[in-house]
Amino acid sequence: MTIQAKFERMGTDAAPGQEVRQQVGGIEALLRGEQIAGREVDFSHGDVDAFTPTPGSFEVFTTGVEAGGRQAYTEYRGDLSIREQLAPSLASFTGAPIDAADGMILTPGTQGALFLAVASTVAHGDKVAVVQPDYFANRKLVEFCEGHMMPIQMDYLNAEGRAGLDLGQLEDAFAAGAKVFLFSNPNNPAGVVYSRDEIKTIASLASRYGATVIVDQLYSRLLYSGIDYAHLRAEAIDAENVITIMGPSKTESLSGYRLGVAFGSKAIINRMEKLQAIVSLRAGGYSQAVFRTWFNEPEGWMDQRVRQHQAIRDDLLRLFRATKGIQARTTEAGSYIFPQLPPLAVSGKDFVRILRLQASVIVTPGTEFSPFCDSSVRLNFSQDHAAAVAAVERLVSLVDRYRA
Amino acid sequence: MTIQAKFERMGTDAAPGQEVRQQVGGIEALLRGEQIAGREVDFSHGDVDAFTPTPGSFEVFTTGVEAGGRQAYTEYRGDLSIREQLAPSLASFTGAPIDAADGMILTPGTQGALFLAVASTVAHGDKVAVVQPDYFANRKLVEFCEGHMMPIQMDYLNAEGRAGLDLGQLEDAFAAGAKVFLFSNPNNPAGVVYSRDEIKTIASLASRYGATVIVDQLYSRLLYSGIDYAHLRAEAIDAENVITIMGPSKTESLSGYRLGVAFGSKAIINRMEKLQAIVSLRAGGYSQAVFRTWFNEPEGWMDQRVRQHQAIRDDLLRLFRATKGIQARTTEAGSYIFPQLPPLAVSGKDFVRILRLQASVIVTPGTEFSPFCDSSVRLNFSQDHAAAVAAVERLVSLVDRYRA
């Protein structure tokens, strides 16, 4: 494959945050009715002005700058004293030990960790099991590494008490030679949490077939009341088969510092560091200092953040469910909601463009997450509460306007 | 190739900054004499405590944090207003226009830019011309992309008024199908600048054979008196064939913020952004704000910085040249010096370990840059002046002690 052909498949025009680079041409002919006024809400990512960064994060960054060269030039896998501070917190949170020296790497965002993990486990032609729907970059990472993607369906709309992963399909993929299984839990975009049974089955299948599992747990701290969360690494039979990825970009609103962490298999972490050395050297040195606030937030701060998100979730779900033909599963963790819209007179992608043009509402089209999700859109509801409600009111009124 | 085999070739144990992960075992049997006391100097990278970050950089970062979500979530290629501020300065510095909207990307460090540039131009099996010696990551980047490396020798010790690139060998590589030529100017590790004739020849050969040239000009602002610097992009016949990489990590000591920039070919920049979307999303949002200090330093600040480095260079050269059998070419730009040591009783790699153990002097072994440079070591002399001189005195006294 030429490099040009390889990159043509890796489009980002509809990716969250890239809307400014889209051309609006050609959409006018499809428009019905007038614009609906209202404050723009960008549901493509969380609003860190509405949910502000962890208290003290900037002060800790400042201390990092003051530390000078020692903080600017860390090991490629990140400052050891920071890894030593984080490891016990993450071990306690995830229910299994972490080796700060050899089993952990700090990365530029969880995106950095995901890239390193996939590129350190997937060679040209390797088979990789990927969930549909799942985080849009997963598919692109496999394409970049020229792996062979084996899609595993997750029927989240018709599952109760579990994510709805097709475990038979997963076993078939392993039996057919899939070396790596890559998934997010809670699922991005559907906001569902894998049941303990699902996680146990994934762990035992991976062990039986000798596959590596990369699990993106970015949103696992933002867990709503009544939800049981099972950490794969606590259930894993072979700890060297699992890489867990987390980071403080979302719930903690520290995205502007670009911080992520991967931990688990020492052999894979070692490869990830070799790769980080040529990809970006290290997570920004001064930014690494901000990790010191992580799992170290003021008493009650995280609980309040979870409650506030839950309240927004409930209001948005009410609006979606009051609209004929919209199906939305209740978000169990994280700040994504992924409603399936009724049949419309325009394609899902066009509806997303219309929504931006006529209602100042930015959402991410479902096809970013699965080829079968053209009628769904993803919203990150980590937003100003009132503005989010008003924006979803405009969204559902456009759904009514564009019904097929 | 399996993923394990691929990564075994990409060792980083001897890479600059990774010395803390080395095992010291097995070296004791080689030791001669006692330790030499002295303040540790780490020549593997510049000392940002000795040469501090650009005045105002932290204040500009603070403004970035205060700007909130707008600065945290930029386009993947970086904030447009920052690109618009930088483009004219960089265009004026490099002598050719830059399209801020479509011909430029902000990256996490110049390392990020290098990775994206190589991975966006080199597919599996593609031939890539790489200079020996040159920046250690260049070779590893080609290996990661599974390109086929074609080494081009640079006889910097026996060239005058030019870098000493073997232009015949370069033409042969292009004629044999090399699609990409990757090099640093000033050269890292040798500190030499390509002559205008060399640059013109590279430009015309690349154009004739339709090859892409990626030029890493990270150190091009730290230019010593009397040196003429030719920018490849100003000499290029086809601007779409050239990607230029720069950044404020070195001369400006802003490495802790992880900032780099690539500019030139729009088609390649477009691919680089697609890749950045899955590698690290973007250069750290708040850090991007620090770019506003770049090419915008206080009057006289850069001149003084160049003068101070030139004074250190001159002192170190005097010490090296006073030692029998050490050859060192005068650094023309940047802060690297790459002396070739006389025959020793131990290998170059072991001498580097002994130097750290017995003299508290950290340097990078020449074999990181070329398989033919076992008898050379690289020093980044962006250090406290007196400490650097004292450390090189210890270095040359160990050279005497370990002569073959």
Side-chain angles (χ1 to χ4, degrees):
Chain A
M1 193 179 352
T2 67
I3 195 83
Q4 288 82 1
K6 179 170 168 174
F7 277 80
E8 260 158 39
R9 303 194 309 172
M10 285 170 42
T12 53
D13 293 353
Q18 290 300 93
E19 295 77 11
V20 295
R21 297 194 72 80
Q22 287 168 15
Q23 306 299 324
V24 198
I27 200 81
E28 289 79 5
L30 303 173
L31 296 183
R32 297 178 179 182
E34 298 301 308
Q35 279 194 239
I36 316 179
R39 169 180 155 189
E40 178 178 284
V41 174
D42 183 352
F43 287 111
S44 76
H45 58 73
D47 180 356
V48 299
D49 299 330
F51 286 99
T52 53
T54 311
S57 49
F58 178 69
E59 289 70 18
V60 171
F61 180 89
T62 305
T63 311
V65 175
E66 285 164 357
R70 192 168 46 78
Q71 189 66 53
Y73 287 90
T74 71
E75 278 180 77
Y76 297 148
R77 63 177 66 201
D79 181 83
L80 179 60
S81 72
I82 292 172
R83 283 183 279 136
E84 284 171 341
Q85 183 192 318
L86 286 183
S89 309
L90 287 167
S92 149
F93 180 70
T94 60
I98 296 171
D99 184 323
D102 295 325
M104 184 175 201
I105 184 170
L106 312 183
T107 59
T110 49
Q111 186 66 56
L114 264 180
F115 173 78
L116 297 178
V118 173
S120 297
T121 51
V122 178
H124 181 84
D126 283 347
K127 290 176 181 158
V128 185
V130 172
V131 178
Q132 286 182 342
D134 209 332
Y135 178 45
F136 68 94
N138 292 3
R139 169 178 57 83
K140 293 173 189 172
L141 285 168
V142 176
E143 282 173 356
F144 172 74
C145 295
E146 299 184 19
H148 176 77
M149 194 153 52
M150 307 185 84
I152 314 295
Q153 299 307 314
M154 192 186 75
D155 190 10
Y156 62 98
L157 276 176
N158 300 301
E160 237 194 83
R162 59 192 186 90
L165 190 73
D166 188 331
L167 292 163
Q169 215 177 16
L170 180 62
E171 175 155 17
D172 290 348
F174 284 144
K179 288 179 54 182
V180 175
F181 175 47
L182 170 61
F183 75 112
S184 60
N185 183 25
N187 174 268
N188 171 354
V192 296
V193 163
Y194 286 76
S195 71
R196 196 162 291 272
D197 274 354
E198 284 175 310
I199 292 297
K200 279 182 192 289
T201 307
I202 291 168
S204 94
L205 287 175
S207 166
R208 190 177 324 151
Y209 290 96
T212 298
V213 186
I214 301 168
V215 54
D216 168 3
Q217 301 195 170
L218 178 53
Y219 268 111
S220 52
R221 293 187 81 193
L222 194 60
L223 198 65
Y224 299 119
S225 51
I227 305 298
D228 172 44
Y229 186 96
H231 292 272
L232 178 72
R233 60 193 311 275
E235 308 291 343
I237 291 125
D238 179 0
E240 276 293 305
N241 274 357
V242 179
I243 287 287
T244 302
I245 291 169
M246 289 186 63
S249 283
K250 302 292 187 178
T251 315
E252 303 82 354
S253 302
L254 297 173
S255 184
Y257 293 102
R258 295 276 75 218
L259 293 169
V261 59
F263 45 98
S265 165
K266 293 180 194 176
I268 297 171
I269 295 288
N270 193 38
R271 297 208 287 272
M272 288 170 71
E273 182 180 44
K274 286 184 177 188
L275 187 52
Q276 180 142 289
I278 61 168
V279 166
S280 59
L281 283 186
R282 59 178 70 80
Y286 303 145
S287 283
Q288 287 180 36
V290 176
F291 269 126
R292 297 200 185 274
T293 64
W294 203 31
F295 284 91
N296 202 14
E297 296 84 7
E299 184 74 27
W301 182 84
M302 182 61 74
D303 289 343
Q304 192 196 15
R305 185 146 282 206
V306 174
R307 269 198 312 278
Q308 289 168 328
H309 280 87
Q310 189 158 332
I312 302 172
R313 176 198 73 170
D314 293 344
D315 280 351
L316 302 195
L317 281 172
R318 244 189 307 276
L319 286 169
F320 283 125
R321 287 174 181 159
T323 307
K324 203 182 110 214
I326 295 186
Q327 280 193 71
R329 189 165 158 182
T330 302
T331 304
E332 295 167 345
S335 58
Y336 293 122
I337 193 165
F338 196 53
Q340 191 180 65
L341 309 181
L344 300 178
V346 296
S347 74
K349 252 185 157 158
D350 281 339
F351 183 70
V352 166
R353 293 161 75 203
I354 289 169
L355 204 53
R356 184 179 168 215
L357 204 65
Q358 289 198 311
S360 305
V361 175
I362 299 173
V363 300
T364 305
T367 45
E368 284 291 299
F369 310 97
S370 162
F372 306 112
C373 290
D374 183 53
S375 57
S376 297
V377 293
R378 189 194 72 175
L379 289 78
N380 185 329
F381 60 79
S382 189
Q383 307 287 345
D384 176 83
H385 193 141
V389 168
V392 168
E393 283 169 349
R394 300 200 295 280
L395 188 163
V396 297
S397 99
L398 283 192
V399 165
D400 281 331
R401 191 189 287 179
Y402 284 88
R403 280 185 195 277
Chain B
M1 190 178 354
T2 67
I3 196 83
Q4 288 81 1
K6 180 170 167 174
F7 276 82
E8 260 157 39
R9 302 194 309 172
M10 284 171 40
T12 52
D13 293 353
Q18 291 301 92
E19 295 77 11
V20 293
R21 297 194 70 82
Q22 286 169 16
Q23 307 299 327
V24 197
I27 200 83
E28 290 79 5
L30 302 173
L31 296 182
R32 296 178 179 182
E34 298 301 308
Q35 278 193 242
I36 316 179
R39 167 179 157 190
E40 179 178 282
V41 174
D42 184 352
F43 287 113
S44 75
H45 57 72
D47 180 355
V48 299
D49 301 328
F51 286 99
T52 53
T54 311
S57 49
F58 178 69
E59 289 70 17
V60 170
F61 180 90
T62 305
T63 311
V65 175
E66 285 163 357
R70 193 168 48 77
Q71 189 67 52
Y73 287 91
T74 70
E75 278 179 78
Y76 298 147
R77 65 177 66 201
D79 181 84
L80 179 60
S81 72
I82 292 172
R83 284 183 278 135
E84 284 171 343
Q85 182 192 318
L86 286 184
S89 308
L90 287 167
S92 149
F93 180 71
T94 60
I98 295 171
D99 184 322
D102 295 325
M104 184 173 201
I105 183 170
L106 312 183
T107 58
T110 50
Q111 186 66 55
L114 264 179
F115 173 78
L116 297 177
V118 173
S120 298
T121 51
V122 177
H124 181 85
D126 282 348
K127 291 175 180 158
V128 184
V130 171
V131 177
Q132 286 181 344
D134 210 331
Y135 179 46
F136 68 94
N138 292 2
R139 169 179 56 82
K140 292 173 189 173
L141 285 168
V142 176
E143 281 173 358
F144 173 74
C145 295
E146 300 184 18
H148 175 78
M149 193 154 54
M150 308 184 84
I152 313 295
Q153 299 307 313
M154 192 187 74
D155 190 10
Y156 61 97
L157 277 176
N158 301 300
E160 237 192 82
R162 60 193 184 88
L165 190 73
D166 188 331
L167 293 162
Q169 215 176 15
L170 180 63
E171 175 155 16
D172 290 348
F174 285 144
K179 287 179 54 182
V180 175
F181 175 47
L182 169 62
F183 75 112
S184 59
N185 184 24
N187 175 268
N188 172 355
V192 297
V193 163
Y194 286 76
S195 71
R196 194 161 293 273
D197 274 354
E198 284 175 310
I199 291 297
K200 278 181 191 288
T201 306
I202 291 167
S204 94
L205 287 175
S207 165
R208 191 178 322 150
Y209 290 95
T212 297
V213 186
I214 301 168
V215 54
D216 168 4
Q217 301 195 169
L218 178 53
Y219 268 112
S220 53
R221 293 186 81 191
L222 193 60
L223 198 66
Y224 299 118
S225 52
I227 306 297
D228 173 43
Y229 187 95
H231 291 272
L232 178 71
R233 59 194 311 273
E235 308 291 343
I237 291 123
D238 179 359
E240 275 294 306
N241 274 357
V242 180
I243 287 286
T244 302
I245 291 169
M246 289 186 64
S249 283
K250 302 293 188 179
T251 314
E252 303 81 355
S253 303
L254 297 172
S255 184
Y257 293 102
R258 295 274 77 216
L259 293 169
V261 58
F263 45 99
S265 164
K266 293 179 195 176
I268 297 172
I269 294 288
N270 193 38
R271 297 208 286 273
M272 288 170 71
E273 181 179 44
K274 286 184 179 190
L275 187 52
Q276 180 142 290
I278 61 168
V279 166
S280 59
L281 284 185
R282 58 178 71 79
Y286 302 145
S287 283
Q288 288 181 35
V290 176
F291 269 126
R292 297 201 186 273
T293 63
W294 204 31
F295 285 92
N296 201 14
E297 295 85 5
E299 183 75 27
W301 182 85
M302 183 59 74
D303 289 343
Q304 192 196 14
R305 184 147 282 206
V306 173
R307 269 197 313 277
Q308 289 168 327
H309 279 88
Q310 188 157 334
I312 301 172
R313 174 198 74 172
D314 292 344
D315 280 353
L316 302 195
L317 282 173
R318 245 188 307 275
L319 286 169
F320 284 125
R321 287 174 182 160
T323 307
K324 202 181 113 216
I326 294 185
Q327 279 193 73
R329 188 165 158 183
T330 303
T331 304
E332 295 166 346
S335 58
Y336 293 123
I337 192 165
F338 195 54
Q340 190 179 67
L341 309 181
L344 301 178
V346 296
S347 75
K349 252 185 157 157
D350 282 338
F351 184 70
V352 165
R353 293 162 74 203
I354 289 169
L355 204 53
R356 183 175 170 219
L357 205 65
Q358 290 198 311
S360 306
V361 175
I362 299 173
V363 300
T364 305
T367 45
E368 284 290 299
F369 310 98
S370 162
F372 305 113
C373 290
D374 183 54
S375 57
S376 297
V377 293
R378 188 194 73 175
L379 290 78
N380 185 329
F381 60 78
S382 188
Q383 307 288 344
D384 175 83
H385 194 141
V389 167
V392 169
E393 283 168 349
R394 300 200 294 281
L395 189 164
V396 297
S397 99
L398 283 193
V399 165
D400 281 333
R401 192 190 287 180
Y402 284 89
R403 278 184 197 279

